[in-house]
Amino acid sequence: MFRRSFNRFCAGEEKRVGTRTVFVGNHPISVAEDYIAQRFCDNRIVSSKYTLWNFLPKNLFEQFRRIANFYFLIIFLVQVTVDTPTSPVTSGLPLFFVITVTAIKQGYEDWLRHRADNEVNKRNVYIIENAKRVRKESEKIKVGDVVEVQADETFPCDLILLSSCTSDGTCYVTTASLDGESNCKTHYAAVRDTTAPYTPESINTLRAAIECEQPQPDLYKFVGRISIYKNTLEADARSLGPENLLLKGATLKNTEKIYGVAVYTGMETKMALNYQGKSQKRSAVEKSINLFLIVYLFILLTKAAVCTILKYIWQNTPYNDEPWYNQKTQKERDTLKVLKMFTDFLSFMVLFNFIIPVSMYVTVEMQKFLGSFFISWDKDFYDEEINEGALVNTSDLNEELGQVRTYFYLK
């Protein structure tokens, strides 16, 4: 009772610890029973961050979360609202340039992600429907569909292996795009009953139900069971584990053909769950820059505070407070002293803001943007087998790549 109440209270956790039932081929077990299809997400993958409508507000929000951009925005607003010794253009123009260059860079990279998503979603796959091989786009795969995958093809969604062309019902898979391991892993057909090479006709007559956990991001964990129904309604139930699960993004190797039933599709696949919810990545260089920025910001605040105090100490004498060549206006005389001290403090901040160079951020953003092109042009990254070079999904971590080789020198 307590567990049910807790799960209702924590609705987000209930989805993760619950189970789902998948009917192979979307065929109900018994014709006499009413079959209500469960609603699952489609197989469309979305790895992009922006749309045409939310790009401007979302990108600006993410950019001004950076300490440097937010700092220069505050300085610009102070220059606009307070009588300061420098023009607002001195900080506003470089800030606008940095924001514009970064927005163009991130917009271009997100457009590349949109294009890559479209290629994956529109890729042709073969589904077994009504004892026939039907060609469909990958994004139209539904949970329960039986998918045919041939050698050297990537799995379009998370599949439970039903049958393989091999006599023992095994297949070999590489997961280099998921965990970086290039060695072949052996996977096994769900149960002995499904190890025989199936044809589209025999798969259409298969009546089976899979009960498994709701989607979880752990690549190496899977718990479920398959119940195969034959002439009677008595089921032959067998357990399922990670060795029966073929993950989206993995590639079929050294096996001519397999059949698998889709259990997780689209943004509920393990690959997509590992991608979702990740905060914007920061390189070690940017983290160190932010750390130094905080230190210099503290120095700037201290310097502005000391200069403000020294000014009012100097102005304690009447002659120094209002010399003949700099007479105060009536408005300045009527201004509260606390408010005048605060505006003087802001003026000193603007006067000394050269301590934090905005030009450095312009250089860093340009280096990242142009560096991504050099990576894609690098012939050492060109793969002749697939006729493709390196694809830069994001340039935020360009400077981290040089540390990989240094690390294996160390190790």
Side-chain angles (χ1 to χ4, degrees):
M1 179 66 70
F2 174 76
R3 184 177 180 181
R4 291 181 180 177
S5 301
F6 179 78
N7 285 339
R8 290 194 190 100
F9 180 75
C10 302
E13 293 295 326
E14 183 179 8
K15 181 180 178 182
R16 290 295 175 88
V17 300
T19 61
R20 62 168 56 184
T21 302
V22 178
F23 295 100
V24 176
N26 290 312
H27 298 308
I29 301 303
S30 174
V31 180
E33 297 179 359
D34 292 333
Y35 171 61
I36 301 177
Q38 299 183 58
R39 300 190 61 152
F40 302 108
C41 71
D42 58 22
N43 199 40
R44 199 162 50 95
I45 286 292
V46 179
S47 64
S48 56
K49 295 169 56 178
Y50 308 109
T51 64
L52 187 62
W53 308 109
N54 70 5
F55 173 75
L56 188 61
K58 190 174 181 180
N59 184 262
L60 289 178
F61 173 75
E62 289 184 351
Q63 290 205 56
F64 284 115
R65 287 175 60 188
R66 293 182 173 182
I67 300 175
N69 291 343
F70 185 73
Y71 164 76
F72 288 115
L73 176 65
I74 295 299
I75 293 297
F76 173 72
L77 294 178
V78 169
Q79 289 178 305
V80 171
T81 57
V82 179
D83 185 17
T84 59
T86 58
S87 170
V89 178
T90 57
S91 60
L93 191 60
L95 176 64
F96 176 78
F97 181 79
V98 171
I99 295 298
T100 302
V101 170
T102 305
I104 293 174
K105 174 178 72 72
Q106 294 181 350
Y108 173 73
E109 292 172 352
D110 202 64
W111 175 76
L112 293 179
R113 285 191 285 268
H114 273 284
R115 189 174 67 174
D117 290 343
N118 190 60
E119 291 178 359
V120 172
N121 294 330
K122 299 298 182 182
R123 184 174 298 164
N124 290 328
V125 295
Y126 285 96
I127 311 295
I128 306 303
E129 288 184 357
N130 300 322
K132 295 180 180 179
R133 295 171 72 246
V134 179
R135 187 170 67 178
K136 285 188 175 181
E137 295 177 346
S138 176
E139 64 182 0
K140 295 182 179 178
I141 296 177
K142 304 187 299 294
V143 171
D145 284 347
V146 178
V147 182
E148 177 186 297
V149 181
Q150 298 185 1
D152 298 324
E153 291 183 349
T154 58
F155 301 114
C157 56
D158 290 350
L159 305 168
I160 291 295
L161 178 59
L162 291 178
S163 174
S164 170
C165 64
T166 60
S167 59
D168 56 355
T170 60
C171 72
Y172 302 97
V173 172
T174 58
T175 58
S177 60
L178 298 175
D179 54 15
E181 297 183 8
S182 57
N183 58 307
C184 288
K185 298 180 178 64
T186 306
H187 287 256
Y188 302 88
V191 289
R192 289 193 300 270
D193 307 68
T194 65
T195 56
Y198 270 81
T199 61
E201 292 77 13
S202 59
I203 285 181
N204 191 57
T205 61
L206 178 65
R207 295 295 179 267
I210 296 174
E211 186 178 1
C212 59
E213 61 185 0
Q214 290 288 0
Q216 295 203 36
D218 192 339
L219 297 176
Y220 308 103
K221 180 184 176 184
F222 179 76
V223 178
R225 66 178 179 182
I226 183 170
S227 301
I228 299 179
Y229 297 83
K230 295 188 177 179
N231 296 329
T232 64
L233 292 179
E234 294 182 1
D236 180 14
R238 303 292 176 85
S239 62
L240 298 174
E243 68 277 2
N244 309 118
L245 183 66
L246 306 174
L247 299 177
K248 177 181 175 63
T251 305
L252 183 65
K253 292 290 184 180
N254 302 329
T255 309
E256 183 180 350
K257 182 172 61 176
I258 64 100
Y259 292 105
V261 57
V263 288
Y264 306 133
T265 53
M267 302 307 291
E268 291 184 339
T269 59
K270 290 183 178 291
M271 182 186 74
L273 290 176
N274 277 274
Y275 180 81
Q276 292 181 65
K278 303 296 183 183
S279 60
Q280 188 173 7
K281 297 179 180 178
R282 308 289 186 192
S283 65
V285 173
E286 185 171 353
K287 291 178 182 177
S288 63
I289 290 177
N290 289 337
L291 179 61
F292 282 110
L293 176 63
I294 295 174
V295 174
Y296 284 118
L297 183 60
F298 176 76
I299 296 174
L300 175 62
L301 293 174
T302 304
K303 192 173 181 179
V306 170
C307 290
T308 304
I309 295 172
L310 291 177
K311 175 187 176 182
Y312 281 89
I313 292 176
W314 171 259
Q315 291 179 345
N316 273 337
T317 60
Y319 177 78
N320 294 332
D321 183 37
E322 192 174 355
W324 62 269
Y325 55 84
N326 190 17
Q327 296 290 322
K328 291 183 179 179
T329 63
Q330 187 62 36
K331 182 179 179 181
E332 289 176 330
R333 292 191 181 97
D334 296 338
T335 304
L336 292 175
K337 192 170 185 178
V338 176
L339 181 59
K340 188 66 172 67
M341 291 179 66
F342 179 69
T343 56
D344 287 340
F345 173 77
L346 294 179
S347 298
F348 278 116
M349 278 194 63
V350 172
L351 185 62
F352 298 133
N353 74 340
F354 60 84
I355 292 177
I356 303 174
V358 67
S359 59
M360 176 182 64
Y361 293 91
V362 176
T363 304
V364 169
E365 291 300 328
M366 290 299 296
Q367 180 273 331
K368 289 181 177 181
F369 183 60
L370 298 177
S372 61
F373 289 99
F374 283 97
I375 293 176
S376 61
W377 295 336
D378 196 329
K379 295 182 179 179
D380 292 335
F381 290 141
Y382 181 76
D383 190 336
E384 295 181 353
E385 292 185 2
I386 61 175
N387 194 26
E388 287 184 3
L391 177 64
V392 181
N393 289 324
T394 177
S395 62
D396 291 335
L397 301 177
N398 283 358
E399 57 268 31
E400 300 286 289
L401 296 178
Q403 301 179 16
V404 177
R405 186 175 182 183
T406 304
Y407 176 81
F408 289 107
Y409 282 178
L410 292 177
K411 297 298 180 181

